[in-house]
Amino acid sequence: MLALALLGAAFPLALAGCDGAASADRGATREAYSNVPLQRQLQDMIDALAEADAAAGVSFDSWVDGVRAAFARADRSSPDLGRAIIALLDERDDLDPGIRSRLIEAAARSMAKDEEARGELGLALTERIENYSSALGERNKACELLGAYCPQTAIAVLGPLLLPDRRGTTLPDSEFILAGYLTAAKTLGTDTHDILCAIAVEARMDGRTRTIALRELAPQATPRSIAIFENVMVESTGDAYLRRVAVQSYIAAVPKERALEHLTRTRDREADMNMQGYLEDVLATLRGER
């Protein structure tokens, strides 16, 4: 009950006149936030994230500024703030999903700078990703944070979740799994070509995730990726945007002469009038007519 105890101790501090929120916030800007009592830090974080209520008269811009300031204080705090946040999230299931998602981000920012705490963070994020009872927004955010702050763990945890045999199970949204994986892979220098190819051609994968894969493959001009662009641009799935992204990636991956030749044939065989018009516009641009 650590987090609940901390919250109970926080309210007298928050309501005290000379030690009120404004005074505490001003003091926090003059010294490391880790010197502010932990219970005050936790309550301050929750207050800042909860101020989006229009009935309270808080403008969106003011709320955004408050969130940024709260995250900056999390950056200056002890990893114990992150531990307290995780304890709170484990104990409370009545918090707004948006606040939960932002709280887990604040916890990550607090814990990431300490090696021991970062290991604890990796375990906490993995638990949320794999626990289907957690709020979806919190699980999606956990994928992104795992990639950003615990890259080695992210490769091990998120990579298998992108494989075909894991689909159909209750998982975070694929686009967030892929985003976290790619962030980690770029940090570690891990080759992403094969997994991106597998995602780009997987018809069971949602269009948003396939679109990310196609865009990421554009700079990787291999025979396999080029063949994928050619196949996806003529798919009959009805996803016009996905097909157009495949065309754009193809243009980025091959010489202009090859693109002109292949896209001309594709246009001539295309049955969808809108796609025909799009391909004609692309061809005119490649020919320098627009």
Side-chain angles (χ1 to χ4, degrees):
M1 301 299 288
L2 168 63
L4 292 178
L6 291 175
L7 280 175
F11 284 108
L13 288 170
L15 296 174
C18 63
D19 293 324
S23 175
D25 286 346
R26 284 194 297 270
T29 62
R30 293 193 297 267
E31 61 185 12
Y33 198 57
S34 58
N35 292 336
V36 177
L38 179 60
Q39 64 267 31
R40 178 65 185 87
Q41 295 183 45
L42 183 58
Q43 187 60 47
D44 176 73
M45 187 68 59
I46 295 171
D47 289 345
L49 300 180
E51 281 187 347
D53 187 356
V58 178
S59 72
F60 178 75
D61 288 342
S62 296
W63 176 70
V64 170
D65 290 342
V67 170
R68 288 174 177 164
F71 282 165
R73 291 191 292 271
D75 292 340
R76 297 194 298 271
S77 71
S78 159
D80 286 339
L81 173 63
R83 295 183 175 104
I85 290 173
I86 290 173
L88 172 71
L89 293 174
D90 287 342
E91 294 172 9
R92 295 273 300 274
D93 58 6
D94 60 332
L95 292 171
D96 177 83
I99 293 179
R100 294 186 68 91
S101 178
R102 289 185 178 275
L103 280 173
I104 197 68
E105 181 176 355
R109 297 171 75 123
S110 169
M111 300 173 74
K113 56 185 174 288
D114 178 87
E115 184 174 356
E116 180 180 351
R118 192 164 56 248
E120 298 172 31
L121 174 66
L123 291 175
L125 294 174
T126 298
E127 180 181 344
R128 278 156 175 78
I129 291 167
E130 296 180 342
N131 183 1
Y132 68 88
S133 64
S134 299
L136 182 59
E138 188 178 342
R139 298 177 74 197
N140 289 341
K141 177 61 71 173
C143 292
E144 296 180 324
L145 296 171
L146 194 67
Y149 295 113
C150 310
Q152 291 182 331
T153 303
I155 294 296
V157 171
L158 301 179
L161 300 184
L162 294 167
L163 300 176
D165 61 355
R166 293 300 301 270
R167 298 191 187 105
T169 61
T170 302
L171 295 172
D173 292 328
S174 296
E175 62 182 302
F176 292 95
I177 298 175
L178 179 57
Y181 180 87
L182 290 175
T183 298
K186 289 173 182 176
T187 298
L188 299 175
T190 302
D191 182 18
T192 60
H193 179 268
D194 288 349
I195 198 164
L196 289 172
C197 286
I199 292 169
V201 300
E202 178 54 68
R204 292 173 294 174
M205 186 70 76
D206 68 275
R208 293 187 302 276
T209 308
R210 293 182 70 194
T211 294
I212 295 172
L214 289 170
R215 292 197 187 282
E216 290 287 331
L217 280 171
Q220 304 184 38
T222 66
R224 183 181 178 189
S225 66
I226 291 170
I228 288 171
F229 301 148
E230 292 176 346
N231 289 333
V232 174
M233 72 174 70
V234 296
E235 270 190 5
S236 57
T237 57
D239 191 333
Y241 182 72
L242 181 71
R243 297 177 66 195
R244 294 183 184 204
V245 171
V247 171
Q248 295 163 8
S249 295
Y250 182 74
I251 293 170
V254 302
K256 182 169 71 172
E257 294 74 16
R258 177 173 176 177
L260 281 166
E261 180 182 355
H262 184 79
L263 294 178
T264 298
R265 288 199 306 270
T266 303
R267 178 205 59 192
D268 293 343
R269 297 170 183 172
E270 178 59 52
D272 184 288
M273 297 299 293
N274 289 329
M275 190 65 178
Q276 256 189 22
Y278 172 73
L279 289 169
E280 182 53 47
D281 288 343
V282 169
L283 288 166
T285 300
L286 288 174
R287 291 191 296 259
E289 297 171 1
R290 293 182 184 176

